[in-house]
Amino acid sequence: MTNSSIITLDEKSLQNNVAFLKKKMGSKVQISAVVKANAYGHGIEQIVPLFEKHGITHYSVFSYSEAIRVYNVLSERHPIMIMGWISDKDMADVIKKGIGFFVFNNERLEVAISNAKKLKLKANIHLEAETGMNRSGLNTEELNTAISIIKLNAEFIHVEGFCTHLAGAESISNHPRIVRQLKKYQKMFSILKANDITPTYRHVANSAASFVYPKARMDLVRIGIMLYGFWSSIEVFIQYFNNKQDRMDPLRRILSWNSQIMSIQEIKMGEFVSYGISYLAQTDIKTAIIPIGYSQGYSRSLSNRGLVLIHGQLCNVIGVVNMNMVIADITNLPDAEVGDEVVIIGKQDSLEIKVSAFSDISNQLNYEVLAHLSEKIKRVVKN
Ligand SMILES: *Cc1c(COP(=O)(O)O)cnc(C)c1O
């Protein structure tokens, strides 16, 4: 292996997840695949063509630069939607390429209109309503202002969507807050309707909301984490399995991350391993050096806590995680050799290290572990 580690994406698992989610959402609901944060660490350039091949026809990103990456790898002109950052200088290109984007304040609406006028084109906007998350979006007064601006500039604006984001649908403790948000959304939507503005897509749901609040599916769902094979939270997972006979997880994880043993050391009892004094050898031990570290996304919070798979066995990460190296205890693997495979995330023989295992021992979310996987790690697709 030329690379110090490699991420493998399993196409069959992706196909399985897309098919499951399409069936679950039904044919009337458009699925937008959320591919922000480098497709949750999976790699935009590798994942988007696979999603496209398996029937995903709508894509959501956070920023202009991600939108361009998606635009460049799609083979057909499917809709792309920017949910967050666009600098003013990039607005013209966004409109020229027909990319949709959230309008969460009227400054952005004005920038969109002035660019659309110059280009003699329509900007595809999604009006984002502030319904109670208190992050971004138009409040009722701002929505009314937006409506009058849109009416004056109807030739330059296409209202493609009316949307909001729910503040934590994956946790039952947020239920009252989510219900209030959905009510507020409907109330604000009626203002649009009263003004004869009919967006193509009403959309509010992420993965969790699409499952926990079926009414929130509306015309389009913005699905991220579940397409990659993860449940948003244990609560969403449990709720899905309530009232079901079959306890098989319908989702399959797509990503695995492998490296290899770079070097093997014999350490004497009483010696400290790695920086500082956090690991003291209690007996004579044998260690394997693995060429991945926090610069690749293996969190320092896994110091003395992480596990890797070598020869089908779980081995402890000992000492602190370095920038480019971790050390594993392989005292119980007498046959281990330099070059042997090390699984950091994924299966080896009958055992598996899940992303959730990382999160359990380090307090990171699945989302966070995935988003930290360095873009520099090579990604390959396994068919
Ligand atoms: C990230 C994001 C989503 C997707 O959330 P998942 O929990 O990964 O499904 C949906 N909508 C918005 C606005 C987002 O930022």
Side-chain angles (χ1 to χ4, degrees), residues 23 84 103 134-135 155 175 233 235 248 258 284 287 296:
K23 181 153 172 255
V103 164
N134 294 312
R135 185 175 68 178
E155 339 151 45
H175 181 74
S233 68
E235 290 171 50
M248 285 281 285
N258 294 355
D284 289 353
T287 60
Q296 282 93 355

Side-chain angles (χ1 to χ4, degrees), residues 15-295:
Q15 185 176 9
N16 167 82
N17 299 343
V18 171
F20 168 71
L21 288 162
K22 279 194 158 193
K23 181 153 172 255
K24 198 76 196 144
M25 295 302 128
S27 57
K28 292 198 183 68
V29 178
Q30 169 75 261
I31 292 179
S32 184
V34 179
V35 294
K36 64 190 180 194
N38 198 25
Y40 293 52
H42 290 62
I44 285 180
E45 282 72 18
Q46 292 77 19
I47 274 286
V48 168
L50 292 181
F51 278 150
E52 188 179 24
K53 178 173 167 192
H54 295 291
I56 294 285
T57 55
H58 199 290
Y59 297 85
S60 293
V61 294
F62 176 72
S63 64
Y64 167 75
S65 59
E66 291 169 339
I68 294 305
R69 287 171 63 188
V70 174
Y71 186 90
N72 287 338
V73 292
L74 282 172
S75 66
E76 287 178 48
R77 285 280 64 92
H78 299 301
I80 301 170
M81 178 165 85
I82 300 174
M83 305 186 291
W85 177 247
I86 306 169
S87 83
D88 292 354
K89 74 172 177 39
D90 295 323
M91 186 55 89
D93 196 42
V94 168
I95 296 171
K96 246 188 271 174
K97 292 192 161 75
I99 296 170
F101 55 94
F102 281 22
V103 164
F104 40 73
N105 59 30
N106 285 318
E107 288 84 351
R108 172 164 284 186
L109 185 57
E110 300 284 8
V111 172
I113 288 169
S114 69
N115 279 281
K117 275 185 180 160
K118 274 187 227 146
L119 293 163
K120 301 196 170 61
L121 289 170
K122 277 193 179 195
N124 288 322
I125 67 163
H126 295 253
L127 291 168
E128 185 189 5
E130 168 49 58
T131 57
M133 179 156 177
N134 294 312
R135 185 175 68 178
S136 56
L138 303 157
N139 62 29
T140 304
E141 194 189 328
E142 290 161 339
L143 180 65
N144 279 312
T145 309
I147 290 169
S148 37
I149 300 174
I150 290 166
K151 282 183 164 171
L152 287 172
N153 295 280
E155 339 151 45
F156 302 110
I157 291 288
H158 169 57
V159 182
E160 196 166 59
F162 182 64
C163 58
T164 195
H165 191 51
L166 303 172
E170 68 284 351
S171 172
I172 190 75
S173 58
N174 300 327
H175 181 74
R177 189 173 175 198
I178 303 298
V179 170
R180 273 201 305 276
Q181 281 194 273
L182 290 169
K183 275 203 189 120
K184 182 87 188 279
Y185 175 86
Q186 292 302 353
K187 215 167 148 187
M188 292 175 84
F189 182 65
S190 64
I191 303 177
L192 272 194
K193 259 196 352 208
N195 284 280
D196 293 322
I197 295 176
T198 43
T200 317
Y201 297 117
R202 292 163 304 150
H203 55 100
V204 304
N206 63 358
S207 298
S210 325
F211 274 73
V212 182
Y213 304 90
K215 277 199 188 126
R217 289 175 194 162
M218 302 187 190
D219 305 310
L220 177 147
V221 288
R222 306 182 302 254
I223 307 261
I225 198 84
M226 287 182 75
L227 274 169
Y228 305 98
F230 301 90
W231 294 84
S232 319
S233 68
I234 193 78
E235 290 171 50
V236 177
F237 178 72
I238 290 169
Q239 176 170 336
Y240 175 79
F241 282 104
N242 275 343
N243 315 316
K244 283 218 168 40
Q245 303 293 328
D246 175 6
R247 291 289 157 107
M248 285 281 285
D249 186 346
L251 295 175
R252 292 196 210 144
R253 283 163 294 274
I254 296 172
L255 176 146
S256 50
W257 185 19
N258 294 355
S259 182
Q260 60 199 320
I261 297 179
M262 183 173 95
S263 175
I264 292 176
Q265 310 284 331
E266 307 278 349
I267 310 288
K268 290 275 176 240
M269 180 177 82
E271 290 291 323
F272 293 109
V273 176
S274 189
Y275 291 114
I277 53 168
S278 76
Y279 186 87
L280 175 69
Q282 311 275 314
T283 56
D284 289 353
I285 60 168
K286 191 161 87 166
T287 60
I289 318 305
I290 304 153
I292 56 117
Y294 59 79
S295 74

